């Protein structure tokens, strides 16, 4: 049986492994990366919207972020993890398209794509990020 302290220690180790990267995979110190992220979100107050994507547990994270961005920060935000849309796109076009298609329909220049991926290599996330960048979106 796992103890509460062992569980919390495991969570702390996960937080220690967080990496913040920028364009072309450039690594940032954690504090610098977080400052850049906050600046990108603040810029939405003058226009644009946040589009949020993630798989599995990351989908839960972006769902919660959607609430915070909308309610607490006051920026327009869309979470693209709604089950009916995901399953329709996956069924019709394959799971690798479930974020690419909505990005191609709703992303505008100046928007911010917030993509959460524990591996950073999920094909559907990468494909959506490439599409968002091609439309003039900023990426986080």
């Amino acid at each position: 049986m796992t103890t509460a302290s062992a569980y919390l220690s495991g969570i702390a180790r996960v937080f220690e492994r967080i990496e913040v990267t920028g364009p072309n995979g450039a690594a940032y110190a954690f504090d610098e990366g977080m400052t850049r992220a906050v600046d990108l979100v603040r810029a939405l107050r003058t226009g644009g919207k946040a589009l949020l994507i993630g798989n599995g547990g990351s989908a839960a994270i972006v769902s919660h972020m959607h609430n915070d961005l909308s309610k607490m920060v006051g920026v327009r935000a869309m979470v693209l993890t709604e089950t009916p849309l995901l399953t329709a796109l996956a069924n019709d076009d394959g799971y690798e398209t479930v974020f690419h298609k909505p990005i191609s329909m709703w992303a505008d220049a100046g928007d911010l794509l917030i993509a959460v991926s524990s591996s950073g290599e999920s094909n559907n996330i990468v494909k959506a990020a490439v599409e968002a960048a091609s439309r003039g979106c900023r990426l986080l």
Side-chain angles (χ1 to χ4, degrees):
M1 174 184 267
T2 301
T3 64
S5 61
Y7 175 76
L8 292 175
S9 293
I11 290 174
R13 284 190 301 278
V14 168
F15 280 112
E16 290 170 355
R17 292 193 319 255
I18 292 175
E19 295 178 9
V20 181
T21 58
N24 302 317
Y28 294 117
F30 185 78
D31 288 341
E32 179 184 3
M34 291 298 101
T35 297
R36 287 176 180 262
V38 168
D39 290 344
L40 287 171
V41 170
R42 281 185 179 154
L44 294 174
R45 290 182 176 166
T46 60
K49 63 190 169 295
L51 302 161
L52 299 101
I53 60 174
N55 295 307
S58 297
I61 291 168
V62 297
S63 180
H64 185 85
M65 289 175 71
H66 172 255
N67 294 341
D68 289 343
L69 289 171
S70 299
K71 182 180 172 202
M72 303 301 290
V73 181
V75 300
R76 294 184 314 140
M78 298 174 66
V79 65
L80 304 177
T81 58
E82 184 178 315
T83 303
L85 177 62
L86 287 177
T87 57
L89 291 170
N91 183 62
D92 295 346
D93 302 319
Y95 194 71
E96 66 279 355
T97 69
V98 297
F99 300 125
H100 176 270
K101 182 73 171 183
I103 293 295
S104 69
M105 293 187 311
W106 298 316
D108 298 309
D111 287 348
L112 174 63
L113 175 64
I114 300 174
V116 178
S117 172
S118 59
S119 71
E121 298 176 8
S122 298
N123 188 43
N124 61 346
I125 299 285
V126 172
K127 188 173 183 173
V130 168
E131 178 67 18
S134 77
R135 295 177 167 278
C137 295
R138 294 162 291 156
L139 305 176
L140 178 62

